[in-house]
Amino acid sequence: MAVTDTAIDRIKDMILKGELAPGARLPKEADLAERLGLSRNSLREAVRALALINVLDVRQGDGTYVTSLEPRLLLDALSFVVDFHRDDTVLQFFEVRRILEPAATAKAAVNMTDTGIDELRKILDALPENPTVEQLVANDLEFHQRIAEGSGNAVLCSLIESLSGPTTRARIWRGLTQSNAPSKTLDQHYAIYGAIAARQPEVAQAWATVHIADVESWLRQAL
């Protein structure tokens, strides 16, 4: 493993120094192994490991390429790890959401396009008058995802999206057990939308904080 780690570090160093740019094809295995002073087996293991975290893209019969290295692609690995969370850590995920999402909402109030704001309203209006819990949760996830995208910060957006999975079960649980959850959620969503549409970042951030803290508070009592 130590030799493989060395191989990973050397490939990483080549990317960081610009010797291998996003989209670039790696030299042939034998040539790269000789250049880096590594065995072909060690190099092969390093490539396999970097492909798992979307740094490299191994194309059968074509070669190995550096990926686009976009935040969404690289943070997919984080989403995979997050899926292994335990139920007793869900409050910690809500705490992180309470830190990140209000900031993203404030940025969306500044950066989201007028078209994006119109689409945000359409998402809310598309919810039926008496939605099922599944419809409510799906609408909630889409609403928050659009706001994260509207923040204009790809890293922030990817981090928020990776946190959605662990909190989905709690959202469903709340919808099933708290009678006023649907109307309360929708009211808060419209308040957040209104602040974004009015280009009021501080107000949008405050409503987002209230919204997430409200669910978090319910969960603390329910656990």
Side-chain angles (χ1 to χ4, degrees), residues 131-134 136-137 168-182 185 215 218:
T132 64
V133 172
E134 290 76 13
L136 184 69
V137 171
T168 300
R169 189 183 302 177
R171 290 164 167 170
I172 294 172
W173 183 20
R174 184 191 184 214
L176 290 170
T177 60
Q178 192 176 25
S179 60
N180 66 338
T185 296
V215 181
W218 167 82

Side-chain angles (χ1 to χ4, degrees), residues 16-221:
L16 293 177
K17 287 181 177 178
E19 295 175 38
L20 290 172
R25 181 177 179 175
L26 269 65
K28 291 182 179 179
E29 184 182 89
D31 295 339
L32 185 57
E34 182 179 359
R35 175 179 173 181
L36 298 178
L38 300 166
S39 70
R40 294 177 68 171
N41 281 339
S42 297
L43 178 60
R44 206 170 291 134
E45 289 298 322
V47 168
R48 191 174 292 123
L50 290 170
L52 285 173
I53 58 173
N54 296 326
V55 172
L56 297 179
D57 179 20
V58 180
R59 304 176 189 174
Q60 203 66 32
D62 185 23
T64 300
Y65 293 78
V66 180
T67 67
S68 65
L69 302 179
E70 293 178 355
R72 184 186 298 274
L73 187 65
L74 296 178
L75 287 171
D76 271 349
L78 175 61
S79 298
F80 178 79
V81 173
V82 163
D83 285 339
F84 288 98
H85 80 286
R86 304 187 313 272
D87 285 346
D88 60 357
T89 63
V90 67
L91 272 172
Q92 296 177 28
F93 283 100
F94 269 105
E95 288 174 355
V96 177
R97 280 190 63 200
R98 181 161 43 82
I99 294 169
L100 297 181
E101 289 200 34
T105 306
K107 290 181 69 65
V110 176
N111 297 326
M112 186 177 275
T113 65
D114 291 341
T115 300
I117 292 175
D118 290 341
E119 291 175 351
L120 196 62
R121 175 62 186 247
K122 289 177 183 177
I123 290 171
L124 296 179
D125 292 344
L127 200 63
E129 187 174 344
N130 295 303
T132 64
V133 172
E134 290 76 13
Q135 288 174 324
L136 184 69
V137 171
N139 190 272
D140 181 73
L141 290 170
E142 186 177 7
F143 179 75
H144 288 285
Q145 181 182 349
R146 289 298 184 90
I147 291 174
E149 291 172 355
S151 72
N153 187 311
V155 175
L156 183 58
C157 178
S158 296
L159 286 172
I160 290 172
E161 286 184 9
S162 70
L163 296 171
S164 292
T167 60
T168 300
R169 189 183 302 177
R171 290 164 167 170
I172 294 172
W173 183 20
R174 184 191 184 214
L176 290 170
T177 60
Q178 192 176 25
S179 60
N180 66 338
S183 60
K184 197 171 188 180
T185 296
L186 197 55
D187 286 346
Q188 291 172 351
H189 280 183
Y190 272 109
I192 292 170
Y193 157 77
I196 292 175
R199 303 294 186 183
Q200 297 175 315
E202 294 86 1
V203 178
Q205 182 170 3
W207 270 115
T209 302
V210 168
H211 177 53
I212 298 168
D214 188 44
V215 181
E216 184 184 345
S217 176
W218 167 82
L219 186 59
R220 288 185 185 279
Q221 295 174 11

